[in-house]
Amino acid sequence: MLTIEQVNQLSRREFIDTFGGVYENSPWVAEAVEPVRPIDSVEDLHQRMAGVVMTSGEENRRALIQAHPSLGEKKPMSGESASEQESAGLTEMEEEQQEELRIWNERYQDKFGMPFIIAVRGKTAEDILEAVRVRMEHTQEEEERQAVREIHRIALLRLEAIIEEERPETITESNDESVETGSSPAAGEQEASAALAAEPARLSQTATRTSSKKRRTMSYGKGDVFAYRTFSIPFTDITPIPESPYEGTNNTIFGLNVSVNITGEAFLPSFTEGDNSMVVATDSMKNFIQRHLGSYEGATVEGFLAYVGEAFLEKYDHVETAEVYADHLPFEKVNVDNTGYKSGVVFKKSHNENPAAMVKVGRTSFGAPEIIEQESYVKDVQLVKVVDNSFVGFIRDEYTTLPEDSNRPLFIYLNIGWTYEAPHIAFGQNGEGYVAAEQVKDIAAAVFHETQTASIQQLIYYIGRRVLERFPQLQEVSFESQNHTWDTVVEDIPGSDGKVYTEPRRPYGFQRFSVHREDLDHEGEA
């Protein structure tokens, strides 16, 4: 096997001879990649080669599909294909299995006009027969996309057999800045194809680096995609909690402000050469999102983001990841008489805090969409408590002008986020196991009411603990908080406990903090 350093030192001819068979009988892929060395890793080389294929045009991709041999046939094939088929036991099959595979190959060829392609390494003959039976039900377009995904997967496995990947060095970050990194080396079928869907990982404390070269930032998307669906599926069956009266909503208006951000090596030529042949217009993204809201059969923001993100990757097979974010735009029923009766058809737009969510979709080892990241939020929660808040004992030095205060009003802004142990809980059409933003903000208010706070830091810690106690299905609660406490104008009003305040000066304090399930093991009130 070669090291990355040795690969970068190969002559042009040696490089093409070594990697020309990675994509079956298609050395033009290696020829196109060779000039862009040095490479950083197996993943880096694979993404570059995959990008060449995806931007080569439909005719070249179809020729690449036709270059692959049918499974189990005795005709001459590349050394790589022969070795892979032998490893799957295709050369040692019983006559009955050989005949069954031959029949399915013929049926597949007759229906789709191309050989059945699957990455066979690690699979048995039965696995392969089952796969061809299932894929016979696909459409022509679906199978052409699947064939290309399998070819990319085969290429990655072949590269891993040629290049000895260095073990990554683990580093510890001492701050909260994001670190961009490539994926660690794959060691089996599940890990092997991560490169196709890889995007720089965002880590806050520990990270893995396989190279000192920083990964390129490359993505684009569409923001402020507003969509309103009337008479959407009601949101019900919410698990009640003591701090909140929230029981769900009828979703008569399901309003969203959506943004989508996509990545993929196939987009590089659009930046470097002005070649837009692989670019999905952002106007198309807008239309895609809005029309899919009409076919969505769930009741949660998270569920819609998962639905539209997965559909986007199914539609555009050169897109590697799609990160979809949405603000839920709340509407409130209005009173229509003096009895408190609320209309079921007239609403006012709420200016209160709003729920939000993010779902990031990547690809599995077989190229199918999968959820790789999800977070829910409630944003712009503004709470003020007029007593029982102190801030004393902080460092005092020559820069300190703030007086200590043992009983101050406290005005805070909160953005609260949470993640599930099992993200699919957020994607259903009812509330079983779902954590509603309305419940989280009610918990924040209840804890604020109950607590004599020594600092905002202490308050958000207590809120986070309470949320995790109420919802064992969550793994983390995170906070972005701001201090907007009013400045005092009149300290004493005769005959009254009141004071007069004004807006605080422009600079404000802020805090970021996350509470994990392990924190519940620590002593302390929540």
Side-chain angles (χ1 to χ4, degrees), residues 251-277:
N251 274 342
T252 304
I253 300 179
F254 189 53
L256 300 174
N257 178 8
V258 185
S259 64
V260 60
N261 183 48
I262 65 174
T263 70
E265 282 294 311
F267 301 123
L268 182 59
S270 69
F271 289 90
T272 60
E273 303 169 22
D275 179 358
N276 296 325
S277 59

Side-chain angles (χ1 to χ4, degrees), residues 261-510:
N261 183 48
I262 65 174
T263 70
E265 282 294 311
F267 301 123
L268 182 59
S270 69
F271 289 90
T272 60
E273 303 169 22
D275 179 358
N276 296 325
S277 59
M278 300 301 290
V279 171
V280 180
T282 61
D283 186 66
S284 301
M285 295 180 186
K286 169 187 67 88
N287 296 334
F288 189 95
I289 291 167
Q290 291 171 335
R291 293 177 188 177
H292 274 73
L293 185 58
S295 58
Y296 174 49
E297 297 181 351
T300 68
V301 177
E302 293 90 341
F304 174 69
L305 299 185
Y307 169 68
V308 75
E310 290 176 341
F312 198 88
L313 264 65
E314 288 173 353
K315 176 66 175 177
Y316 303 105
D317 60 8
H318 61 294
V319 175
E320 295 172 10
T321 67
E323 183 173 300
V324 197
Y325 174 91
D327 286 320
H328 185 197
L329 307 176
F331 289 80
E332 300 175 357
K333 291 182 178 181
V334 298
N335 292 327
V336 292
D337 62 30
N338 61 9
T339 68
Y341 175 76
K342 295 183 182 294
S343 171
V345 294
V346 178
F347 298 80
K348 65 178 180 179
K349 189 171 183 179
S350 172
H351 296 286
N352 297 325
E353 58 279 330
N354 67 282
M358 181 278 296
V359 173
K360 186 173 181 179
V361 185
R363 295 193 183 275
T364 67
S365 58
F366 297 101
E370 70 169 344
I371 306 300
I372 58 178
E373 191 175 348
Q374 181 274 326
E375 189 165 9
S376 303
Y377 314 91
V378 60
K379 298 170 54 182
D380 201 26
V381 178
Q382 298 186 25
L383 300 171
V384 59
K385 186 178 181 183
V386 296
V387 294
D388 295 333
N389 313 288
S390 63
F391 187 50
V392 298
F394 50 87
I395 293 174
R396 304 198 67 86
D397 56 27
E398 66 270 29
Y399 299 106
T400 306
T401 58
L402 181 70
E404 293 190 342
D405 193 338
S406 59
N407 190 15
R408 62 173 179 163
L410 182 60
F411 193 173
I412 59 171
Y413 292 3
L414 292 174
N415 291 335
I416 310 174
W418 57 96
T419 57
Y420 294 80
E421 293 281 359
H424 70 272
I425 294 174
F427 303 151
Q429 67 180 33
N430 60 46
E432 186 176 356
Y434 182 83
V435 178
E438 290 82 357
Q439 292 177 306
V440 173
K441 61 99 172 174
D442 285 344
I443 287 176
V447 172
F448 199 8
H449 169 76
E450 299 167 8
T451 305
Q452 292 190 357
T453 59
S455 66
I456 297 177
Q457 289 90 329
Q458 180 195 37
L459 175 63
I460 61 179
Y461 175 65
Y462 283 2
I463 294 171
R465 283 176 53 93
R466 180 72 62 83
V467 172
L468 292 176
E469 286 178 345
R470 292 289 181 250
F471 303 112
Q473 64 269 43
L474 299 184
Q475 65 177 0
E476 179 183 290
V477 182
S478 59
F479 295 87
E480 294 180 354
S481 58
Q482 296 178 10
N483 180 3
H484 288 264
T485 296
W486 301 319
D487 285 343
T488 305
V489 176
V490 179
E491 182 73 28
D492 295 307
I493 299 176
S496 170
D497 291 333
K499 301 178 182 180
V500 176
Y501 302 93
T502 188
E503 287 294 307
R505 288 162 289 181
R506 179 72 64 175
Y508 60 86
F510 64 87

Side-chain angles (χ1 to χ4, degrees), residues 36-40 44 48 180-182 209-216:
V36 300
R37 287 183 290 170
I39 62 168
D40 297 335
D44 184 27
R48 292 171 188 266
E180 292 192 329
T181 168
R209 284 181 179 161
T210 57
S211 168
S212 60
K213 181 179 178 181
K214 187 176 181 180
R215 181 175 296 278
R216 183 195 305 276

